[in-house]
Amino acid sequence: MTTGSDYVYFDRSTSTFSADAVARATAAKLKLESYYKVAVDAAIERNARRIELETRLSQAVSQEAREREIRKHAKTESQHLRLRRTKIGLNDFRTVKVIGKGAFGEVRLVQKTDTGKVYAMKTLQKAEMLKRDQLAHVRAERDVLAESTSPWVVQLFYSFQDSAFLYLVMEFLPGGDLMSMLMKYDVFSEDVTRFYMAECILAIEAVHNLGYIHRDIKPDNVLIDKYGHLKLSDFGLSTGLHKATDGEIYKRYLEQEKQRDPARNSVQVNAINLTMSREQIATWKANRRKLAYSTVGTPDYIAPEVFLLKGYGKECDWWSLGAIFFECLVGYAPFCSENPGDTYKKIIDWPKYLHFPDEVYVSREAEDLIKGMMTWAEHRLTVTQIKTHPFFFGAEWSSLRQIEPPFVPRLQSMTDTSYFPTDDLGNVPDQLPKEAGVGAEKDLAFLGFTFKRFTGGSGGH
């Protein structure tokens, strides 16, 4: 049986379907299953909202108020259904400016053409994701962002795809990131550090309460909103879903370094300087944003148990925050080196290298807390112990987002990108390059990626 010279769907000689027919049938089956799963899940959610409304209205309210609430609910559900039916694509947004890039994609400030609302749009090349086995990363990020409604987590409004790219459309936080602030101010006072660490603690706790481990806490993933408060972003490594663990990545990096310079790498770990010279610290600071853009990345904030490949839990995020805590007060990361390989070695042998320099004042309480966060996992402080530590004495944990932050961005417009160091990006074109699609069979890996957040407004986001 044929439908043309190119495709054979049934082979008469063997009475079996061809490989092409089986592949197409499998693809159709998976797409149908995904479609109906989404439809059923939506119906269950809609039913749950109706039951919640009926429960609320069963309390003593007047008939008039009850009818008003029912009409309001019906209108909201109608808007929700309309949003679900609306197809979102790249043509619905215009690029204002490229504001960031990473190893597998870039981030653009975009404006939705029909509403004028501003977003940060992360684009990721499908072919690169598959080539580097990063699919679990992007799926983890999409799932965390779609699930979260926390004020401490960057909000996702849309995710969609075409044949070549994945797109995550998120809220735009115009204050830049903590890395840029550290590069500008070098060190923070203990009072400023206390505020930012307290907000980071609540943000990490919110992620843990969702059932996730962030696993990539570092200053460039801590963003600042228009009010000066913090939110966590970049959940690509959350939950440890990836196959190639960090330990394996950096061991591979070390092997490459040894091949390039055998003499240098024959030096034993204990020959690495215990303290960094000013020149070495300056080199580390100059290279930190380049490392943020690279495929290797920086191991500066990663907990030792992640490298040791013996399993780890959510406590690895508290080590990472301890490393940021140290950097805020001292001016550089505790194990920083001129190359990631030496940093990796120092973290593995951290008791020898966690050193507070004499020339920098750090209070006894701050040093004690950092040491309580940067220790072996089984001895590390829990979130409750961190929050009740003397360093945070008097902290108003329940009202942090109502407190005036130490820094509030001064913005000229809703598309102001002055807090993003776009000079470091090089020449990135405003339009995405034309890329070949990954093909129908490989595209199945990205099934179910699409998401739209309903915010209850008439236009929605």
Side-chain angles (χ1 to χ4, degrees), residues 126-318:
K126 284 183 173 180
E128 203 65 21
M129 293 276 102
L130 292 170
K131 178 183 172 184
R132 298 183 184 272
D133 200 18
Q134 298 291 307
L135 186 57
H137 292 196
V138 72
R139 177 68 68 177
E141 177 162 32
R142 181 257 181 228
D143 290 349
V144 176
L145 294 176
E147 192 174 329
S148 172
T149 56
S150 170
W152 298 106
V153 173
V154 172
Q155 195 162 41
L156 175 71
F157 290 105
Y158 305 105
S159 59
F160 58 93
Q161 58 183 299
D162 56 29
S163 62
F165 291 96
L166 300 175
Y167 305 90
L168 292 163
V169 180
M170 299 170 282
E171 65 177 314
F172 171 52
L173 272 63
D177 59 39
L178 201 58
M179 178 167 68
S180 298
M181 281 191 70
L182 284 165
M183 291 175 77
K184 181 178 179 180
Y185 295 106
D186 201 39
V187 294
F188 298 155
S189 70
E190 288 210 356
D191 283 341
V192 169
T193 300
R194 185 178 291 106
F195 176 84
Y196 287 136
M197 291 303 99
E199 291 218 329
C200 283
I201 287 163
L202 292 185
I204 293 169
E205 187 179 30
V207 173
H208 292 175
N209 288 341
L210 282 170
Y212 292 93
I213 306 167
H214 189 288
R215 237 186 44 91
D216 198 24
I217 301 290
K218 55 188 178 183
D220 29 332
N221 288 341
V222 179
L223 303 186
I224 301 165
D225 69 15
K226 63 182 178 181
Y227 305 109
H229 291 283
L230 304 184
K231 295 194 180 200
L232 281 180
S233 74
D234 212 335
F235 292 83
L237 295 184
S238 60
T239 73
L241 286 173
H242 65 333
K243 292 179 183 175
T245 66
D246 285 316
E248 290 166 341
I249 290 168
Y250 285 100
K251 280 179 180 176
R252 207 177 304 137
Y253 176 85
L254 281 174
E255 289 304 315
Q256 291 168 358
E257 286 290 299
K258 285 177 184 176
Q259 290 170 12
R260 274 198 283 269
D261 188 358
R264 182 190 169 282
N265 284 278
S266 64
V267 179
Q268 296 299 308
V269 172
N270 59 16
I272 300 172
N273 291 335
L274 282 172
T275 57
M276 295 281 286
S277 69
R278 289 183 180 180
E279 291 77 14
Q280 288 171 318
I281 292 166
T283 301
W284 176 80
K285 288 182 177 180
N287 291 334
R288 63 191 308 194
R289 199 170 290 279
K290 290 177 189 172
L291 271 174
Y293 295 156
S294 75
T295 52
V296 174
T298 172
D300 281 295
Y301 310 95
I302 297 174
E305 66 266 22
V306 176
F307 288 136
L308 292 169
L309 310 178
K310 294 179 181 177
Y312 54 86
K314 61 186 179 183
E315 60 277 352
C316 71
D317 286 341
W318 301 122

Side-chain angles (χ1 to χ4, degrees), residues 325-346:
F325 193 170
F326 180 102
E327 185 178 350
C328 288
L329 297 177
V330 175
Y332 53 88
F335 307 106
C336 72
S337 303
E338 291 178 302
N339 68 79
D342 283 348
T343 300
Y344 168 88
K345 292 174 187 174
K346 286 182 179 181

